[in-house]
mmCIF file of all heavy atoms in Angstrom:
data_model
loop_
_atom_site.group_PDB
_atom_site.id
_atom_site.type_symbol
_atom_site.label_atom_id
_atom_site.label_comp_id
_atom_site.label_asym_id
_atom_site.label_seq_id
_atom_site.Cartn_x
_atom_site.Cartn_y
_atom_site.Cartn_z
ATOM 1 N N TYR A 276 41.042 -7.204 -17.082
ATOM 2 C CA TYR A 276 39.908 -6.355 -17.414
ATOM 3 C C TYR A 276 39.535 -5.577 -16.175
ATOM 4 O O TYR A 276 39.278 -6.159 -15.106
ATOM 5 C CB TYR A 276 38.706 -7.181 -17.852
ATOM 6 C CG TYR A 276 38.920 -8.146 -18.989
ATOM 7 C CD1 TYR A 276 39.488 -9.402 -18.763
ATOM 8 C CD2 TYR A 276 38.533 -7.810 -20.263
ATOM 9 C CE1 TYR A 276 39.664 -10.291 -19.786
ATOM 10 C CE2 TYR A 276 38.703 -8.725 -21.332
ATOM 11 C CZ TYR A 276 39.290 -9.964 -21.053
ATOM 12 O OH TYR A 276 39.446 -10.848 -22.103
ATOM 13 N N THR A 277 39.461 -4.242 -16.240
ATOM 14 C CA THR A 277 38.989 -3.425 -15.136
ATOM 15 C C THR A 277 38.094 -2.341 -15.685
ATOM 16 O O THR A 277 38.302 -1.842 -16.776
ATOM 17 C CB THR A 277 40.165 -2.782 -14.374
ATOM 18 O OG1 THR A 277 40.918 -1.982 -15.276
ATOM 19 C CG2 THR A 277 41.049 -3.828 -13.719
ATOM 20 N N GLY A 278 37.069 -1.983 -14.897
ATOM 21 C CA GLY A 278 36.194 -0.947 -15.355
ATOM 22 C C GLY A 278 34.852 -0.985 -14.700
ATOM 23 O O GLY A 278 34.679 -1.505 -13.576
ATOM 24 N N GLY A 279 33.848 -0.452 -15.398
ATOM 25 C CA GLY A 279 32.535 -0.311 -14.850
ATOM 26 C C GLY A 279 31.446 -0.943 -15.688
ATOM 27 O O GLY A 279 31.667 -1.301 -16.845
ATOM 28 N N SER A 280 30.269 -1.036 -15.117
ATOM 29 C CA SER A 280 29.096 -1.571 -15.787
ATOM 30 C C SER A 280 27.882 -0.808 -15.294
ATOM 31 O O SER A 280 27.841 -0.358 -14.135
ATOM 32 C CB SER A 280 28.950 -3.072 -15.420
ATOM 33 O OG SER A 280 27.783 -3.592 -16.012
ATOM 34 N N PHE A 281 26.915 -0.620 -16.167
ATOM 35 C CA PHE A 281 25.699 0.052 -15.773
ATOM 36 C C PHE A 281 24.530 -0.477 -16.597
ATOM 37 O O PHE A 281 24.723 -1.024 -17.693
ATOM 38 C CB PHE A 281 25.810 1.571 -15.927
ATOM 39 C CG PHE A 281 26.023 2.030 -17.346
ATOM 40 C CD1 PHE A 281 24.958 2.352 -18.190
ATOM 41 C CD2 PHE A 281 27.342 2.140 -17.856
ATOM 42 C CE1 PHE A 281 25.170 2.751 -19.512
ATOM 43 C CE2 PHE A 281 27.557 2.550 -19.154
ATOM 44 C CZ PHE A 281 26.482 2.875 -19.985
ATOM 45 N N GLY A 282 23.338 -0.341 -16.060
ATOM 46 C CA GLY A 282 22.175 -0.846 -16.770
ATOM 47 C C GLY A 282 20.894 -0.592 -16.039
ATOM 48 O O GLY A 282 20.832 0.127 -15.032
ATOM 49 N N ALA A 283 19.815 -1.210 -16.543
ATOM 50 C CA ALA A 283 18.493 -1.039 -15.967
ATOM 51 C C ALA A 283 17.687 -2.315 -16.206
ATOM 52 O O ALA A 283 18.034 -3.137 -17.058
ATOM 53 C CB ALA A 283 17.781 0.164 -16.607
ATOM 54 N N TYR A 284 16.620 -2.455 -15.427
ATOM 55 C CA TYR A 284 15.768 -3.622 -15.609
ATOM 56 C C TYR A 284 14.302 -3.251 -15.387
ATOM 57 O O TYR A 284 13.982 -2.218 -14.822
ATOM 58 C CB TYR A 284 16.153 -4.740 -14.613
ATOM 59 C CG TYR A 284 15.654 -4.545 -13.209
ATOM 60 C CD1 TYR A 284 14.375 -4.967 -12.856
ATOM 61 C CD2 TYR A 284 16.427 -3.935 -12.260
ATOM 62 C CE1 TYR A 284 13.893 -4.767 -11.564
ATOM 63 C CE2 TYR A 284 15.973 -3.733 -10.976
ATOM 64 C CZ TYR A 284 14.688 -4.171 -10.630
ATOM 65 O OH TYR A 284 14.204 -3.948 -9.374
ATOM 66 N N ALA A 285 13.421 -4.103 -15.877
ATOM 67 C CA ALA A 285 11.981 -4.001 -15.621
ATOM 68 C C ALA A 285 11.448 -5.402 -15.362
ATOM 69 O O ALA A 285 11.961 -6.393 -15.935
ATOM 70 C CB ALA A 285 11.231 -3.383 -16.803
ATOM 71 N N ALA A 286 10.449 -5.512 -14.490
ATOM 72 C CA ALA A 286 9.900 -6.821 -14.120
ATOM 73 C C ALA A 286 8.420 -6.719 -13.862
ATOM 74 O O ALA A 286 7.902 -5.646 -13.473
ATOM 75 C CB ALA A 286 10.627 -7.364 -12.891
ATOM 76 N N TYR A 287 7.734 -7.837 -14.021
ATOM 77 C CA TYR A 287 6.287 -7.892 -13.777
ATOM 78 C C TYR A 287 5.949 -9.224 -13.110
ATOM 79 O O TYR A 287 6.437 -10.283 -13.548
ATOM 80 C CB TYR A 287 5.523 -7.760 -15.078
ATOM 81 C CG TYR A 287 4.013 -7.924 -14.919
ATOM 82 C CD1 TYR A 287 3.252 -6.896 -14.395
ATOM 83 C CD2 TYR A 287 3.405 -9.128 -15.283
ATOM 84 C CE1 TYR A 287 1.867 -7.050 -14.221
ATOM 85 C CE2 TYR A 287 2.020 -9.281 -15.137
ATOM 86 C CZ TYR A 287 1.261 -8.242 -14.601
ATOM 87 O OH TYR A 287 -0.059 -8.398 -14.432
#
Side-chain angles (χ1 to χ4, degrees):
Y276 305 82
T277 57
S280 177
F281 62 91
Y284 78 87
Y287 175 77

